[in-house]
Amino acid sequence: MITIPYLTALSTYFSYGLLFAFGQLRDFFRKIIDWWQSGDLQGYAPICLGLEDFYIRRLYNRIQDCFGRPISSAPDAWFDVVERYSNDNNKTLKRTTKISRCLNLGSYNYLGFAASDEYCTPRAIESLKKFSPSTCSSRVDGGTTTLHKELEECVANFVGKPDAMVTGMGYVTNSAILPVLIGKGGLIISDSLNHNSIVNGARGSGATVRVFQHNTPSHLEKVLREQISEGQPRTHRPWKKIIIIVEGIYSMEGELCQLPEIVAICKKYKAYVYLDEAHSIGAVGKTGRGVCELLGVDTADVDIMMGTFTKSFGSCGGYIAGSKEVIQYLKYTCPAHLYATSVSPPAAQQIISAIKVILGEDGTSRGAQKLARIRENSNFFRSELQKMGFEVLGDNDSPVMPIMLYNPAKIPAFSRECLKQNVAVVTVAFPATPLLLARARICISASHTKEDLLRALEVISRVGDLVGIKYFPAEPSKQETNAIKLE
């Protein structure tokens, strides 16, 4: 639970209030001007209307140069960022031919497979020649190749489940599969900070949705007990099924799920466990098998395991792993399998090759070295940021580390100043986070060297002082400590 300092919360509310007030004032004068001019809607209602439209026009557009920056290279430890400019106060941005070589602290390239790899890249190119870029078909028509069957077997063995099904998009894996797993008369209890794909999938299922406090097993048990005792709304009949949905690593918090405690509660009340490992599979655990391996949870105790290939494997798509009966049922009923185009064959080959490298099946120890390096890099970087006085969220071993910014003015200031010094960071604000909890989300990669991390820390510290986001006192350096002891 994030506790915002009183003065920080007050200044943040004041800043948003000021932006809102001036935005409303400008909209008021805009309506007066438009009243004198003939509109071009010809009787149609405005298609973009409401607070979302107001937020985009009056807040987001002012700082949209901090988001969606185009790159012109692979998202490796360093990448090329295309420079842009605006002649209309950021309403539109135009690309230039200039590029900046920047240290990449924003991509999900946890193990470094997104760049050219000596084992994965030649095999992906060979599959492109053999199978073409796309199957141009869904899995149930002509979209299942030998690579797709091999990939599903490979994923099932890797995560420790009897069977698996792959989809072409990670977001769709959650949003399309949850409505198939549960419907009216069922109960979903979801962590309050679960990803938007889970939220939309739960809403689309027609099941009753309840939320428990983020990563708090005691509150989960309280909600579960209440819902079981009350039963379905109006009828009070027993629930047809109950699914508890959590994430392995929460993408905006960098926190590890308290999986052992949650699994124990689900066993006690006979509820199913649905685990989203988008950010944890491949990135944590001794052999990269995710939070179950890291926290010592038997995969047999997790009923549905979901993950994506866009983070640790340098590819695209997602997977669902479970019992053979569940996976067979999903292949008969899931829209993502029945109607969507299957995973691109080169992307499938990239995933297979990456898993083989992680497991050492390429004949080298590069996979083990990558896993050790991302763990060391993540823990070192987090520790140094905290020593500098930044408010850093998340747990050790997590490659995701948010730095709290809070105030809306500090979002563009931090992002732009880092970019000026050739460090590319991702800043995140409402609606991806609560209004008061804007942050910069740092993603560490195994491809980062010690020199890269030290340079990043130097720049972030300098910018942090300039912007004023060191909310805690910094720890004294070793030299300062030694000087104090001598005195």
Side-chain angles (χ1 to χ4, degrees), residues 102-125:
C102 295
L103 180 58
N104 179 11
L105 294 181
S107 298
Y108 304 133
N109 184 24
Y110 295 145
L111 295 183
F113 284 118
S116 179
D117 182 83
E118 62 187 70
Y119 183 83
C120 301
T121 304
R123 285 160 177 78
I125 293 171

Side-chain angles (χ1 to χ4, degrees), residues 20 24 27 30-31 45-59 430:
F20 185 82
Q24 291 289 356
D27 276 6
R30 178 187 178 187
K31 287 178 183 177
I47 197 167
C48 299
L49 191 64
L51 285 176
E52 291 84 359
D53 177 55
F54 173 84
Y55 180 84
I56 292 168
R57 288 186 292 102
R58 298 304 184 198
L59 280 79
F430 179 84

Side-chain angles (χ1 to χ4, degrees), residues 227-248:
Q227 293 303 314
I228 290 173
S229 63
E230 291 176 7
Q232 296 183 39
R234 293 188 299 275
T235 64
H236 301 292
R237 292 175 180 171
W239 299 102
K240 293 181 179 178
K241 69 178 81 167
I242 301 174
I243 298 180
I244 312 301
I245 306 178
V246 293
E247 295 185 34

Side-chain angles (χ1 to χ4, degrees), residues 6 32 38 55 69 84 117 133 142 177 243 248 302 308 404 409 413-414 475:
Y6 178 76
I32 294 175
S38 60
Y55 180 84
R69 289 172 177 149
R84 297 179 293 177
D117 182 83
I177 281 175
I243 298 180
V302 180
T308 63
M404 299 308 297
F414 184 79
E475 290 185 13

Side-chain angles (χ1 to χ4, degrees), residues 15 17 32 97-98 153 198 247 284 349 366-367 382 397 405 423 459:
S15 299
I32 294 175
T97 55
K98 298 179 182 178
E153 291 174 7
I198 294 173
E247 295 185 34
V284 297
Q349 181 60 63
R366 287 197 308 125
R382 184 185 304 279
D397 289 350
L405 303 176
V423 173
V459 170

Side-chain angles (χ1 to χ4, degrees), residues 3 11 77 107 132 141 147 189 198-199 274 299 309 326 442 470:
T3 304
S11 65
S107 298
S132 85
D141 295 328
L147 281 178
I189 303 181
I198 294 173
V199 174
Y274 184 108
T299 55
F309 304 121
V326 168
I442 306 298
K470 292 184 177 180

Side-chain angles (χ1 to χ4, degrees), residues 149 152-165 298-305 320-328 331:
K149 301 301 289 184
E152 288 175 339
E153 291 174 7
C154 190
V155 168
N157 291 332
F158 184 66
V159 302
K161 293 302 255 182
D163 204 357
M165 181 183 82
D298 189 347
T299 55
D301 294 331
V302 180
D303 302 285
I304 306 291
M305 299 181 72
I320 285 284
S323 67
K324 288 188 178 293
E325 294 76 18
V326 168
I327 298 305
Q328 194 66 30
K331 287 182 177 181

